[in-house]
Amino acid sequence: MQTLKKYLAVASLGAVLFSGCATDTVNVDMNHDKGSAVMGLDYRDFQASAQEMVDSMLSSGALNKRGGGRYVLVISRIINDTMQHIDTDQLVKKIRVGLLRSGKVVVTTAVGVGGAEDKMSMQTRKDLRGNAEFNQKTVAGKGNMIAPDLSLSGKIIQRNIRVDSSTQRAEYYFQMSLTDINTGLAFWEDERVIGKQGSNQSAAW
Amino acid sequence: MKVIFAGVVFMALLFSGCVNTQPKNNIAQVTDKCLAGSISITDIKGAKQSDGFMKTQIIGQNRSDSYKKLEYKIVWLDRNGFVIKSILSKWREASADANQPFYITNISPNTKADDFRLYIRQQNKEIVCKH
């Protein structure tokens, strides 16, 4: 009986201690996030890089179309050459939104490297054209799509460097190019480098 | 030693030397008391370019003997005083070498921008001040 009481006391103490160790879940204020840096890429890195790229593109004047109006932009391949599983839209979407809001560019989703980004614009044409169930005046006509003028491509590169037995350094290169599709000439290019240093125990992937 | 977590301190309205290009109401706010001691804003310029975008140049001075990493953001306003939401209004980094002037240049997110406000803070989570 005495032993059972002891076990119960230890178990109770353990339960109390462990319940106190649980980390509370909180919402992160994304506009004022003072969380510690991580060795991998996080949203702050994508946000800062997108910000720099948009600023650089607008400052360069490469988006000023001769005679006014807006360029039509297509998103080309953004290569993820890092050890991390990255959806490159984390970067590209921010840039697209920034450029769209600048009033200088409109992005086409009807063309893309691996086919249309939004397949519906082509699908509706195939399915609805000549379909008696649909008022043909409301179906998108032939020759209405606008071909892109510019193509945005890029690459994210990672380099890991061992500093000493306990420290590593990770360098991330964000490289982007804006190509005039008509001539094949790059109107604008830029690169942003992010460097991180931390423990060898931290995984940079 | 005193730890200050936040505290918005109105620091300086410096309008000298750029009357012609100065937007109407731009205000430099240093959002940290300690920072205000060693960092000052000496000039703010803003001018509309031929393409309609507004370009800004802020010149500051780091009067301390140490390199400082700063964060700043620019809030862009249209001609009616409404805020223009943009990725270009997020906090960004800037560096200030010891006892040197530093420069921050930016472009407006679109051609509707007519005015702006600048905020600066130091990057550390908490600022430690000596009194």
Side-chain angles (χ1 to χ4, degrees), chain A residues 29-200:
Chain A
D29 180 353
M30 307 300 258
N31 294 313
H32 193 77
D33 182 5
K34 286 294 176 185
S36 302
V38 292
M39 285 301 288
L41 291 169
D42 70 4
Y43 83 94
R44 290 169 291 192
D45 302 314
F46 289 113
Q47 183 170 285
S49 299
Q51 202 173 8
E52 293 290 333
M53 293 298 175
V54 171
D55 192 298
S56 172
M57 258 185 269
L58 295 179
S59 301
S60 72
L63 298 176
N64 292 334
K65 193 173 184 181
R66 198 173 290 175
R70 295 193 288 183
Y71 278 120
V72 179
L73 177 74
V74 64
I75 306 301
S76 181
R77 196 179 298 280
I78 310 291
I79 298 166
N80 171 22
D81 194 13
T82 71
M83 297 169 209
Q84 300 168 55
H85 179 72
I86 294 170
D87 184 341
T88 53
D89 270 353
Q90 286 179 279
L91 174 71
V92 174
K93 183 58 90 176
K94 290 176 177 59
I95 294 175
R96 285 171 64 159
V97 171
L99 292 179
L100 190 64
R101 287 184 179 170
S102 75
K104 292 288 179 184
V105 162
V106 61
V107 180
T108 176
T109 57
V111 190
V113 172
E117 185 183 323
D118 184 352
K119 297 190 184 337
M120 193 50 73
S121 51
M122 200 57 84
Q123 192 68 39
T124 49
R125 284 167 161 78
K126 283 182 187 167
D127 293 350
L128 308 185
R129 203 170 279 161
N131 187 332
E133 296 297 329
F134 289 86
N135 179 347
Q136 290 300 299
K137 286 179 186 165
T138 64
V139 176
K142 287 183 179 176
N144 282 346
M145 281 190 171
I146 308 293
D149 305 298
L150 301 172
S151 167
L152 184 69
S153 59
K155 194 172 186 180
I156 308 171
I157 301 167
Q158 177 177 356
R159 267 196 78 209
N160 274 25
I161 301 153
R162 183 187 155 96
V163 177
D164 57 37
S165 58
S166 61
T167 313
Q168 65 171 326
R169 186 184 172 107
E171 294 171 353
Y172 299 98
Y173 299 78
F174 289 78
Q175 302 175 335
M176 303 214 84
S177 300
L178 192 66
T179 304
D180 174 32
I181 289 175
N182 189 39
T183 61
L185 303 175
F187 275 20
W188 167 89
E189 289 183 293
D190 209 343
E191 179 184 67
R192 183 172 195 269
V193 184
I194 293 174
K196 295 169 184 251
Q197 190 164 306
S199 163
N200 266 341

